[in-house]
Amino acid sequence: MSVRDVLSPFTAWKNVFLDPVTIPDPINDRPGAPRYRGFHQNDVAKCIGCGTCETICQNGAIDMVPVDGIATKQGDSGLRPRIDYGRCCWCALCVDVCMTGSLTMSNAYTWVETDPDAFRFTPGVDKKDWDDAELGYQRPEGHRLTGAERVEMHETSPELRIGSFDEIVHGYSVEQAQLEADRCVSCGLCVATCPTHMSIPQYIAAVRDGDYERGVELLYETNPFSGICGRVCTHKCETSCASRHEGDPIAIRWLKRHIVDQVPFERRRELVGGVHKSPSGKKIAIVGAGPAGLTAAFDLAKQGHSVTVYEALSAPGGMTRWGIPEYRLPYDIIDEDVDIIRSVGVDIRCNVRIGQDISLDQLHQEHDAVLLGLGLQLGRATRTPGSEHPDVRKAVDLLRQVTAGEDFGTPREAVVIGGGNVAMDIARTLARLQKAKYGEVKVTLTALEDKAHFLADPEEIKEAGEEGVQIIDARGPQLVVVEEGKIVGLKTWRVKAIFDEQGRFAPSYDESDEQLHLGSMIVEAIGQMTDASLLGDALTEQLVWQRGRLQVDAGGRTSEAWLWAAGDMVRGPDVVTAVADGHRVAASIHATFTSMEIPA
């Protein structure tokens, strides 16, 4: 041992005479660096409870918990993150992945408590000194763990698509679908918004994994119309998608379509179809082969019940076949979903009109339950002066005739009244017919609403304009102009307001702003209603109605114990809502047979 080693400890004494470099009171006087990752903050009003922070935490330090005063609502689970600092490693991945940017970290790093349970708290709910701290870690601008932009879905160009009724949307390739699926953070907020509560995160994961057969099984667990909904679903789920807070929502509808497109029909039928349970001995008659009726038939047949569906028209599908143009929904897609439903033992009989070929009372006598699954087959009238002319037509009638291949006399010029999807469908259908017959498009569409408040989907409005439809908004129909027995056009005034001060429908107009829209055919597309004539006057009087819709209980049962109703005639027009309604009514009917409690 050297002398230096012996004296070394004593050399430290020199520091006694130096000024200290430490801070006497570090708890109060030594703040963290400006971007220090300290204790968490959460803007609970901005947070949507998506749970992405909980999912990404590799230490299990975050739990999503209910909070008093924060209710579950569309796009918000009502839960908020609780942090366990016995597990947290301060990595800030939870902040980086937060879809709304509500979760941040203050630069506070000291916290003295005697109770170890206190170190589990819910930021923004359990008040802390650092709640209002301006310094700390926030996700840097432009730093993202998921893609912001949706993978584009390619379509046929307007110049090509106007010449036929071929489907205009191409569908994702495998590579495109996987890129889009990679954007999903599997928060599950979409599931609560979907009327059928489809397993959306799981089937998107199946796309990501390339396991398309698993995807098909997940789709048809809750939606036997998955092929159809993959093309024309109203995709309300996307309005709740957490990704919309940072960019585009996930293309949930297109990913559903992609799964169906990847698995051949015969294989889908093998995966989903087939007899599921032994015969129960119960018989159900369903009137109407639309989404509600066929979904109920699908469920009931799988339970072993004998199900017969009666359809007045020549092919099943309801308004999905007879009211949606083929360029949006090809008929073979409808046929495939219907055939899967048939494969579980459902008997579908077309060209049978209840009330004419068979009475409703006969169905009642010969079956244990009867379900009405009627669509909205009748168009509503504007009652505009002159609209009694035979060349004033209803959009739903014309769309049905086009599907049936009937020639109704394509007008050289046409005016469509309405701003919803049906109005866009008939306007674009007429445009195609005109292009084929005359080589040019002369369709004018007018609506009471300004374009920003059209009920039609934005893509429908955009595509109609691209195809040559002239859209004139905020116009109210005043007169169908007839000269020498023939329609020459529609006279309109500019709309000043649609509702009065009490919120009642009472349009007011600027009479000095008058226009004449030329056309030899006027098409009304302002709404639809159910043709309930098959019920007969006596039964119609016995049932309960409200504003044209049949009233039912939570299980879809009417005021007549033997009769249930579902779909558009109860809920209004929407395919996926009709599917959900079919499930609900099937469960109610099955519960009645098995003396189980009817689900709400």
Side-chain angles (χ1 to χ4, degrees):
M1 180 179 293
S2 66
V3 175
R4 181 179 178 182
D5 292 333
V6 173
L7 297 178
S8 179
F10 297 100
T11 61
W13 284 99
K14 67 179 181 182
N15 295 317
V16 172
F17 304 103
L18 299 177
D19 293 332
V21 295
T22 56
I23 296 174
D25 189 357
I27 292 179
N28 297 312
D29 297 344
R30 190 174 183 180
R35 296 191 70 249
Y36 191 82
R37 298 195 297 265
F39 298 115
H40 290 78
Q41 303 162 302
N42 191 27
D43 184 340
V44 293
K46 195 175 179 182
C47 177
I48 58 174
C50 66
T52 312
C53 52
E54 178 186 43
T55 302
I56 203 170
C57 181
Q58 299 178 32
N59 299 321
I62 300 178
D63 293 303
M64 301 302 295
V65 298
V67 172
D68 290 341
I70 299 180
T72 300
K73 59 184 179 181
Q74 181 174 326
D76 187 344
S77 70
L79 306 176
R80 295 297 182 262
R82 183 180 66 187
I83 315 294
D84 182 348
Y85 285 105
R87 293 175 175 269
C88 180
C89 68
W90 317 88
C91 67
L93 276 175
C94 53
V95 175
D96 288 340
V97 81
C98 178
M99 304 304 289
T100 64
S102 68
L103 193 63
T104 58
M105 299 175 83
S106 71
N107 69 334
Y109 65 96
T110 56
W111 181 8
V112 178
E113 287 279 359
T114 57
D115 180 6
D117 288 337
F119 295 103
R120 286 193 300 269
F121 86 109
T122 305
V125 176
D126 301 326
K127 299 303 180 184
K128 300 297 177 184
D129 293 339
W130 53 80
D131 283 348
D132 298 324
E134 297 181 359
L135 299 179
Y137 182 78
Q138 300 178 6
R139 186 178 63 192
E141 188 71 27
H143 177 61
R144 294 178 49 88
L145 300 185
T146 58
E149 295 183 356
R150 170 182 293 192
V151 176
E152 183 182 0
M153 173 70 80
H154 294 298
E155 297 182 352
T156 304
S157 67
E159 299 77 21
L160 293 176
R161 69 184 188 232
I162 192 63
S164 75
F165 280 82
D166 292 344
E167 186 175 19
I168 68 175
V169 177
H170 297 174
Y172 281 144
S173 67
V174 171
E175 294 76 16
Q176 289 173 320
Q178 290 180 341
L179 282 173
E180 182 63 16
D182 278 342
R183 297 179 55 233
C184 177
V185 295
S186 300
C187 68
L189 292 176
C190 47
V191 177
T193 305
C194 173
T196 64
H197 305 308
M198 298 187 76
S199 302
I200 297 171
Q202 289 77 16
Y203 75 65
I204 290 179
V207 173
R208 195 160 47 232
D209 298 338
D211 189 352
Y212 292 109
E213 291 193 354
R214 174 60 177 154
V216 165
E217 291 172 335
L218 288 166
L219 292 180
Y220 284 88
E221 277 180 0
T222 53
N223 191 344
F225 279 77
S226 287
I228 291 171
C229 284
R231 285 164 165 81
V232 298
C233 183
T234 47
H235 52 101
K236 297 172 184 175
C237 51
E238 294 178 16
T239 65
S240 296
C241 178
S243 295
R244 69 187 175 89
H245 293 278
E246 294 197 323
D248 298 328
I250 305 301
I252 298 172
R253 174 178 57 174
W254 295 143
L255 291 174
K256 184 191 298 107
R257 168 190 170 154
H258 175 74
I259 292 171
V260 173
D261 287 350
Q262 297 308 303
V263 181
F265 167 66
E266 290 75 13
R267 181 55 182 155
R268 276 185 277 137
R269 186 166 54 188
E270 290 175 2
L271 290 168
V272 180
V275 177
H276 289 249
K277 288 190 177 180
S278 57
S280 68
K282 299 294 185 180
K283 296 171 62 178
I284 302 104
I286 297 177
V287 182
L294 290 181
T295 297
F298 183 72
D299 288 356
L300 290 166
K302 289 195 297 182
Q303 293 290 344
H305 306 308
S306 174
V307 184
T308 304
V309 181
Y310 298 91
E311 169 57 48
L313 298 175
S314 60
M319 296 305 289
T320 62
R321 181 185 299 273
W322 301 99
I324 299 178
E326 193 176 14
Y327 61 81
R328 288 180 59 202
L329 179 59
Y331 301 143
D332 61 336
I333 299 300
I334 303 172
D335 292 337
E336 289 177 357
D337 276 349
V338 169
D339 284 347
I340 286 175
I341 292 168
R342 275 196 175 106
S343 73
V344 300
V346 176
D347 180 13
I348 303 175
R349 302 179 186 179
C350 295
N351 293 312
V352 180
R353 290 187 175 275
I354 305 304
Q356 296 181 19
D357 302 316
I358 304 175
S359 70
L360 195 60
D361 184 63
Q362 183 179 344
L363 294 184
H364 175 203
Q365 298 304 321
E366 296 177 355
H367 296 81
D368 298 288
V370 178
L371 165 61
L372 298 176
L374 306 180
L376 306 181
Q377 315 98 323
L378 302 179
R380 296 189 180 276
T382 62
R383 299 178 181 174
T384 303
S387 61
E388 68 280 357
H389 193 282
D391 285 333
V392 176
R393 306 291 302 276
K394 301 293 189 296
V396 287
D397 295 336
L398 296 183
L399 290 169
R400 183 164 53 246
Q401 288 183 273
V402 170
T403 298
E406 299 174 7
D407 182 3
F408 55 81
T410 302
R412 189 70 185 252
E413 291 181 285
V415 181
V416 176
I417 304 172
N421 282 333
V422 174
M424 299 299 160
D425 285 344
I426 191 58
R428 298 175 67 187
T429 295
L430 289 171
R432 282 162 170 74
L433 295 173
Q434 288 177 341
K435 185 70 174 179
K437 187 169 184 177
Y438 306 113
E440 61 180 348
V441 174
K442 288 189 176 181
V443 179
T444 301
L445 184 146
T446 71
L448 289 175
E449 300 87 358
D450 61 80
K451 194 176 293 187
H453 292 91
F454 275 17
L455 295 179
D457 295 336
E459 59 264 30
E460 284 282 301
I461 301 170
K462 172 178 173 289
E463 290 167 2
E466 292 173 345
E467 293 166 6
V469 176
Q470 183 183 18
I471 300 175
I472 306 176
D473 61 353
R475 307 298 304 181
Q478 302 301 314
L479 177 67
V480 176
V481 181
V482 180
E483 295 180 359
E484 299 180 356
K486 295 183 178 180
I487 293 178
V488 296
L490 177 71
K491 186 178 292 185
T492 66
W493 290 342
R494 184 179 68 82
V495 176
K496 293 194 295 185
I498 298 177
F499 301 99
D500 63 18
E501 293 179 353
Q502 285 73 44
R504 297 171 298 191
F505 180 76
S508 59
Y509 306 101
D510 179 357
E511 300 180 17
S512 66
D513 186 343
E514 184 175 279
Q515 293 183 15
L516 176 64
H517 314 291
L518 298 178
S520 58
M521 179 183 286
I522 310 298
V523 183
E524 296 175 318
I526 62 164
Q528 298 89 247
M529 56 187 177
T530 298
D531 180 2
S533 59
L534 63 86
L535 299 174
D537 294 339
L539 182 56
T540 301
E541 288 295 324
Q542 293 169 16
L543 297 172
V544 180
W545 302 81
Q546 184 175 9
R547 294 186 177 181
R549 293 185 183 176
L550 184 55
Q551 299 301 290
V552 297
D553 68 12
R557 205 172 198 169
T558 70
S559 54
E560 296 295 307
W562 57 274
L563 185 64
W564 281 258
D568 293 356
M569 70 179 304
V570 176
R571 307 289 174 187
D574 179 28
V575 176
V576 71
T577 298
V579 169
D581 219 25
H583 285 311
R584 181 164 42 248
V585 174
S588 173
I589 294 172
H590 178 67
T592 301
F593 293 159
T594 55
S595 300
M596 295 165 52
E597 181 180 352
I598 298 176

